[in-house]
Amino acid sequence: MAQPAATTLLVWTRLLHAADLAGQHCADALRNVGLPPPEWYDVLLALERGGAQRPRDLQAALGKEQYALSRLVDRMVKARLLARTPCPTDARGHTLTLTIEGLAMRAAMWPVYAEAIERALGARVDEEDRAALARLLAPLAEPLGA
Amino acid sequence: MAQPAATTLLVWTRLLHAADLAGQHCADALRNVGLPPPEWYDVLLALERGGAQRPRDLQAALGKEQYALSRLVDRMVKARLLARTPCPTDARGHTLTLTIEGLAMRAAMWPVYAEAIERALGARVDEEDRAALARLLAPLAEPLGA
DNA sequence: GGCTTTTTCATGCCGATGCATCGAAAGACC
DNA sequence: GGTCTTTCGATGCATCGGCATGAAAAAGCC
């Protein structure tokens, strides 16, 4: 059995705790003003940047499970932020497009989201440390090899 | 509106992604061998280290919501890993104690958990970078001020 | 003591997630 | 073309989490 080093365990607890705090803070900030959760923002942004996309592309881009994305899209379609249109080249799937309301929602969410990120991260770590963190976290944000 | 710096956004995405990957990897490792999820380990460890404790103490120590801990304890009691005994000094609550099986379960989980942590973290960052990460993450693992 | 407020823990309800599976279309192979 | 395998997306079922509330004991206050 591989016994992790003390620093490994320290990084472990702090990484999970920090991510939980930051994520929770953002989710709360959005909820407190009656806006949808962060994951909705990610979908809206991906579609705005990348144009119409199919569910499986979004799934890969966002790193979500297939069923999770399927139901997330369901909710967002019900909320009139997305529209499903038949896919011309593959009758199994469909393409997802932003509605006007979806575009407006992303714009409305960003200031709140940005402010929360700034408070949770930017205001607590100076530029030099942020650069160091970004560099050190890079390998950990890559998928683990088999 | 506070526009976060580019490094802030980079840290943001990598922090959340890294934590998600690492956490998922550990949860999967335990599940793949038929063991309970990491949160059970945290409870077992806290009780083993700190002796009998009341739910509200565990709640504070683990940073969980009250109802979440209440139901988590429920499941672990059903699984015979914990026992609730009446609290002598406060009839509202009870003290939680590890059963023999609970003690054994923690011991059984640790090698798998440790191995997963090592693979997800220790093996991917050298000692110097781990120390730097631990230092940089420290402020972010502290609760945000009001 | 008698009253109000606070703390401690559980739970009903609903929405979200994980898992397995399914139907249907596409692609591969002959 | 015909058949088998793979990909795409949805969904039934059970579990889990969030929110609000409830019940009961403790603590504070007069």
Side-chain angles (χ1 to χ4, degrees), chain A residues 31 54-56 66-67 70-71 84 92-94:
Chain A
R31 234 179 43 81
R54 297 182 52 184
R56 59 105 189 260
Q66 182 270 322
Y67 49 82
S70 177
R71 291 196 262 232
R84 293 191 225 246
R92 288 170 301 182
H94 37 249

Side-chain angles (χ1 to χ4, degrees), chain A residues 15-29 38 113 116-117 119-121 124, chain B residues 12 15-16 140-142 144:
Chain A
L15 176 67
L16 295 191
H17 200 191
D20 184 57
L21 278 176
Q24 199 59 47
H25 174 69
C26 277
D28 289 348
Y113 200 3
I117 293 175
R119 263 181 58 84
L121 235 62
R124 311 219 291 167
Chain B
W12 174 255
L15 175 67
L16 296 191
L140 299 179
E142 296 299 322
L144 288 96

Side-chain angles (χ1 to χ4, degrees), chain B residues 6-26:
Chain B
T7 51
T8 303
L9 296 178
L10 202 55
V11 171
W12 174 255
T13 58
R14 287 183 181 170
L15 175 67
L16 296 191
H17 201 190
D20 184 57
L21 278 176
Q24 199 59 47
H25 175 70
C26 275

Side-chain angles (χ1 to χ4, degrees), chain A residues 26-80:
Chain A
C26 277
D28 289 348
L30 288 167
R31 234 179 43 81
N32 286 340
V33 294
L35 290 172
E39 58 175 1
W40 286 39
Y41 183 86
D42 298 335
V43 171
L44 294 172
L45 181 64
L47 283 177
E48 191 171 332
R49 283 211 201 292
Q53 291 177 43
R54 297 182 52 184
R56 59 105 189 260
D57 300 322
L58 270 184
Q59 182 197 337
L62 303 179
K64 294 187 68 80
E65 301 292 332
Q66 182 270 322
Y67 49 82
L69 181 70
S70 177
R71 291 196 262 232
L72 173 56
V73 167
D74 263 354
R75 280 170 249 143
M76 295 181 71
V77 168
K78 279 198 185 71
R80 309 284 177 191

